[in-house]
Amino acid sequence: MLKQQNFFDRNIPAWKQVLFLSWPTIVELLLQTAVNYVDTAMVGSIGVNATAAVSITMSTIWLINGFMNAVGIGYSVLAARSIGEGNYEQAKVIIRQSILAIGVAGIFLTLIVTLFIAPNLPAWMHAEKEVVPLARSYLRIIGMGYLFNISLIVCSNLLRCAGDTKTPMKFNILTNIINVVGNYLLIYPSKEIQLFGKNFLLQRAGLGVSGAAAATSMSIAFSGIGLLLILFLRQTPYQISLKEDFSPDRFIIRRAIRLAVPTAMERMTISFGQIAATSMITGLGTMALSANLLADTGEKICYLPVYGFATAGTTLVAQSLGAEEKDLALHYGRWCNRLGIIVMLVTSTAMFLFAVPIIDLFTDDTETILLAAQMLRIEAFAEPLLAIGVVLGGVLRGAGDTRWPFVISLLGMWVVRLPLAYTLIHLFDWGLAAVWGAAIADWAVRAAISCHRFYHKKWMTQKV
């Protein structure tokens, strides 16, 4: 049986508990970023149109992934509360209900993306005619894997909130390996290679952008199925069985929806804002669109590690409040925030210093490299503000206080970032720098409101 970590042992320093939970998630996210780098470089080698096609779809894909993550948050916070209480039977009921949600939501998303969104999105985004068929194909193939994708996301959330962050990390490593190998075999055409003095024909599919999407979907299918099997096969206090009752439980479903809806609305707020920002950038030309994608990809190496501390905050706060250890929940929240800021200061400094070499990994176009590197250096000074918003958002979600992260995101994106970016583009002619500069103001607002909510402690009495 998998050994459960005791998060209520006060002899273990809080920072050690935070690191115990966060480091596998940080490793997982860094590996994801490394593979995203490889993906971007492989797609970028096909040409600027291929890079632009992927860029067109990214905000929408992030929006849909956010919806799937909201489902995971809804059920995983409930499960973590039950585990903190020591009520494993209730935790098992919640996990079984989450399996039903995976099936229903996965089928719905697959149908709506492949049949409606993929054919129309490039036109909505005013993509150039050479980019349209590539973007349609890419998104349609990605959509075909959404049943497995939501399984991956929900099951990973459940395991992390139960205190098991290592299993999702291990599956992520395997997923990344499958994705990179799949990219190599599916993106490029066949070619002749020399091995031990003899020539061989290396058979490859030559599918281009569609091959990149197919490799992603196949690797996600592997992990989605594998993590689902873990919940059924691994001996844990919350192990489930097909022999148990899987009929819908309206009470649990309603509770999960109350937690998930604000999280989904938060992600929709951010994603629709990013789609609006991408539409602004599209009007600046293909080079600006490509530079934006490359800068965003480069920036991930800086900010993704703090999501490990946000995940740790969600788990530790949920379990602590489930055990009615409110002072411990506050203590863990503070440490998650401190460590997130420290890590972000280190990574943002590295991003500023090595901006050009980072972007140089993905393209040979000098103008695109310089423009994307400029965006990274603009943003480097504000990354600690982003860390505060991200980590404290995870803490509030663990408490079941999912409405405030939504309100904070709504204000930051739609009241601050987008109006400011539009003004800087059209009145001051700042170009791409307007969008990235406006993001700094957005993050400052989010950090200020998040700190106000956290330190006033109302989240500690939130009912779930």
Side-chain angles (χ1 to χ4, degrees):
M1 179 177 287
L2 184 69
K3 183 180 178 181
Q4 293 293 115
Q5 178 79 0
N6 182 8
F7 298 122
F8 312 123
D9 185 351
R10 295 177 184 267
N11 293 320
I12 303 176
W15 64 268
K16 284 189 177 181
Q17 298 277 34
V18 172
L19 291 178
F20 172 84
L21 275 178
S22 60
W23 78 260
T25 305
I26 293 172
V27 170
E28 180 181 350
L29 292 170
L30 289 175
L31 286 171
Q32 284 180 349
T33 302
V35 172
N36 285 338
Y37 280 15
V38 173
D39 280 354
T40 304
M42 286 180 164
V43 171
S45 67
I46 305 172
V48 174
N49 287 336
T51 302
V54 176
S55 179
I56 284 287
T57 66
M58 279 297 102
S59 296
T60 301
I61 290 172
W62 200 69
L63 168 63
I64 297 168
N65 285 345
F67 174 79
M68 292 188 280
N69 189 60
V71 176
I73 289 291
Y75 286 97
S76 62
V77 169
L78 292 177
R81 283 290 187 104
S82 296
I83 291 170
E85 293 169 4
N87 189 349
Y88 290 105
E89 286 303 315
Q90 178 70 2
K92 291 166 67 175
V93 174
I94 293 167
I95 292 172
R96 293 197 297 270
Q97 294 300 303
S98 73
I99 305 302
L100 295 178
I102 287 171
V104 173
I107 293 171
F108 170 77
L109 288 173
T110 297
L111 292 175
I112 195 170
V113 170
T114 56
L115 299 179
F116 179 66
I117 297 178
N120 296 300
L121 180 68
W124 295 340
M125 299 295 290
H126 308 293
E128 297 179 4
K129 63 179 182 179
E130 296 85 359
V131 176
V132 169
L134 299 177
R136 283 176 177 167
S137 176
Y138 184 85
L139 187 55
R140 184 179 290 114
I141 295 171
I142 291 293
M144 290 178 183
Y146 273 148
L147 179 60
F148 306 107
N149 201 352
I150 192 169
S151 177
L152 185 157
I153 290 173
V154 172
C155 294
S156 294
N157 269 309
L158 289 168
L159 290 171
R160 291 188 189 107
C161 277
D164 178 11
T165 54
K166 293 182 181 178
T167 298
M169 178 193 70
K170 292 173 183 177
F171 269 93
N172 183 262
I173 293 172
L174 294 173
T175 302
N176 290 340
I177 293 172
I178 295 170
N179 189 33
V180 171
V181 173
N183 278 343
Y184 183 73
L185 295 176
L186 297 177
I187 292 177
Y188 304 112
S190 300
K191 74 170 185 177
E192 200 171 79
I193 62 172
Q194 192 173 63
L195 190 64
F196 303 116
K198 295 184 177 181
N199 292 329
F200 297 91
L201 180 64
L202 176 62
Q203 296 286 349
R204 298 191 293 189
L207 298 175
V209 171
S210 297
T216 299
S217 291
M218 287 190 298
S219 62
I220 285 173
F222 169 81
S223 284
I225 295 170
L227 287 168
L228 183 63
L229 290 175
I230 289 292
L231 296 176
F232 284 95
L233 301 179
R234 177 178 286 173
Q235 291 186 353
T236 62
Y238 48 86
Q239 180 185 12
I240 58 174
S241 169
L242 286 173
K243 298 178 181 179
E244 296 170 338
D245 183 15
F246 277 81
S247 59
D249 186 317
R250 292 182 181 179
F251 178 62
I252 290 175
I253 292 171
R254 283 199 300 267
R255 292 168 67 197
I257 289 174
R258 286 174 184 169
L259 291 171
V261 167
T263 303
M265 292 176 68
E266 175 193 355
R267 192 53 60 101
M268 288 173 63
T269 295
I270 296 172
S271 295
F272 280 128
Q274 290 182 328
I275 291 171
T278 303
S279 182
M280 292 184 199
I281 295 167
T282 303
L284 299 174
T286 299
M287 189 184 76
L289 191 62
S290 296
N292 184 69
L293 174 65
L294 298 182
D296 184 62
T297 304
E299 188 193 18
K300 286 179 181 176
I301 196 68
C302 177
Y303 69 71
L304 278 182
V306 302
Y307 281 91
F309 298 108
T311 299
T314 300
T315 300
L316 292 168
V317 168
Q319 290 203 22
S320 296
L321 292 179
E324 298 187 357
E325 296 275 3
K326 293 182 180 179
D327 61 328
L328 193 59
L330 180 64
H331 191 50
Y332 278 139
R334 286 172 173 165
W335 267 107
C336 288
N337 195 38
R338 291 168 189 165
L339 292 173
I341 293 171
I342 292 169
V343 169
M344 191 68 101
L345 285 170
V346 174
T347 57
S348 61
T349 301
M351 185 178 78
F352 182 87
L353 294 175
F354 301 106
V356 171
I358 289 172
I359 303 300
D360 193 42
L361 293 172
F362 312 126
T363 183
D364 296 326
D365 187 85
T366 303
E367 287 187 71
T368 304
I369 291 172
L370 294 177
L371 181 58
Q374 181 188 7
M375 299 307 105
L376 290 184
R377 286 175 170 155
I378 289 172
E379 218 70 2
F381 296 99
E383 295 291 334
L385 296 173
L386 175 62
I388 294 170
V390 168
V391 175
L392 293 184
V395 169
L396 295 177
R397 291 185 198 98
D401 188 12
T402 55
R403 284 178 293 180
W404 265 95
F406 160 62
V407 172
I408 292 168
S409 298
L410 181 67
L411 292 173
M413 176 63 75
W414 289 93
V415 177
V416 178
R417 183 188 299 200
L418 292 177
L420 181 58
Y422 185 88
T423 301
L424 294 176
I425 288 174
H426 294 283
L427 295 184
F428 295 91
D429 197 25
W430 277 27
L432 187 59
V435 177
W436 287 72
I440 296 176
D442 173 8
W443 295 349
V445 169
R446 294 192 206 190
I449 302 175
S450 296
C451 285
H452 180 273
R453 181 67 178 175
F454 177 75
Y455 286 105
H456 277 67
K457 306 177 185 178
K458 291 183 179 179
W459 54 272
M460 296 172 66
T461 57
Q462 188 73 27
K463 300 292 183 181
V464 296

